[in-house]
Amino acid sequence: MKYLRNEWDRAGAWLCVTAGAVALVVGYFGVSGTLETGKQLPYVVSGGMAGLFLLGLGALLWVSADLRDEWRKLDAIDRHLLDGGTLPQAPAGPGATPPEPQEPFVPQEVSLR
Amino acid sequence: MTTTMAVGAAATPWSAKQRLLLAALLLIGVVGLIAGYVGTSGTLRVSRQVAWVNVAAAALLASGTGVVLFLTAARREIGRRRLSLFGDVIVGREEASDLGAGVGAADLVSAPTMTKYHRADCSFVAGKPALAVATAVNHQKIGKRPCGVCLPGGAS
């Protein structure tokens, strides 16, 4: 359930790809079950084309999830740079030791590779 | 729930206009496919069905175009943002290399298992751990020879 909630786009992608594959198989059996072209064409549209549409939709959802992840990562780096490049502090409790004074922030080269 | 956003950054790489365009083209795809199915299954005459097959194919093409536009727009936006955050990595690397060329002997590195010493930016030492920095004279004292590719210290 948690996966579905957090990764709805990837779950949707799997669902679409599965449905697309099923549609293609159904379309194939529909077309191969008759020799009459007039009866085959509805299967070409509903099975073949709809199957391709669903596969494309699945790919869209999966790739857009990756792109969204990358965007969030850039967001985190952006925030980190705006915060002065410091690591987040642990909350001070009654027994917690006081944080050591930090060195002044020196910008460093960051590479995504 | 609140989320902290970097100043001037959108929540997703897509604008509302791009999402609307994708939704419209996907809708055209769905409607076209349904119309194509209903049209082809309503008759057994192939000459009439062909037109509906064309409708479905055009709808599929439209939705495919929408998908490609949507994904390339995001790719472009992410590239733009990376450039604004980190600058042009290739240009930066060339500048660093130019600077390194004028620094001199202090930039010469080697490792205990190596028989040659290199410039710090030589591709032969890229990513190698435990590199020792020394002058050309000190490297040569322990029997190391200059790299023939990066030519440290102007060796030829």
Side-chain angles (χ1 to χ4, degrees):
Chain A
M1 265 334 263
K2 200 176 174 186
Y3 178 81
L4 284 180
R5 217 178 16 248
N6 293 337
E7 305 271 352
W8 61 268
D9 31 22
R10 287 190 175 90
W14 276 116
L15 197 72
C16 284
V17 167
T18 309
V22 168
L24 284 176
V25 171
V26 168
Y28 168 75
F29 282 111
V31 169
S32 62
T34 176
L35 287 175
E36 227 176 303
T37 312
K39 284 183 181 171
Q40 285 175 331
L41 281 177
Y43 283 106
V44 170
V45 175
S46 65
M49 291 188 183
L52 287 179
F53 177 82
L54 287 169
L55 287 180
L57 197 62
L60 166 76
L61 284 171
W62 191 273
V63 177
S64 65
D66 285 350
L67 290 170
R68 209 173 286 126
D69 283 350
E70 198 173 340
W71 187 258
R72 283 197 203 109
K73 213 173 281 176
L74 288 174
D75 253 350
I77 294 170
D78 207 353
R79 267 202 306 279
H80 181 69
L81 291 174
L82 286 173
D83 293 344
T86 53
L87 292 170
Q89 296 291 312
T97 51
E100 289 179 15
Q102 293 192 339
E103 293 288 317
F105 169 62
V106 181
Q108 290 182 335
E109 190 180 330
V110 180
S111 171
L112 282 180
R113 293 167 60 130
Chain B
M1 192 178 82
T2 57
T3 52
T4 320
M5 287 300 305
V7 179
T12 64
W14 298 283
S15 66
K17 197 177 155 189
Q18 285 161 342
R19 274 179 284 182
L20 198 68
L21 180 69
L22 174 75
L25 289 173
L26 285 180
L27 192 68
I28 287 173
V30 171
V31 170
L33 285 172
I34 292 173
Y37 172 70
V38 173
T40 50
S41 59
T43 176
L44 284 177
R45 286 179 64 181
V46 177
S47 57
R48 284 188 187 165
Q49 286 178 325
V50 167
W52 290 109
V53 172
N54 287 339
V55 167
L60 191 65
L61 206 65
S63 59
T65 307
V67 168
V68 171
L69 287 176
F70 191 69
L71 294 179
T72 50
R75 198 62 265 169
R76 213 167 33 242
E77 196 58 38
I78 286 174
R80 208 173 288 148
R81 192 158 183 211
R82 283 174 70 148
L83 203 63
S84 74
L85 273 174
F86 309 114
D88 195 332
V89 176
I90 294 169
V91 170
R93 201 173 284 162
E94 280 169 1
E95 282 170 359
S97 171
D98 291 346
L99 283 174
V103 170
D107 248 1
L108 306 179
V109 295
S110 188
T113 52
M114 291 178 173
T115 57
K116 293 185 177 179
Y117 62 93
H118 307 258
R119 287 179 190 274
D121 58 350
C122 178
S123 54
F124 283 141
V125 292
K128 295 228 167 125
L131 289 171
V133 180
T135 61
V137 176
N138 286 341
H139 278 306
Q140 284 162 9
K141 265 185 197 167
I142 53 172
K144 294 188 192 283
R145 286 168 292 121
C147 168
V149 174
C150 64
L151 305 175
S156 56

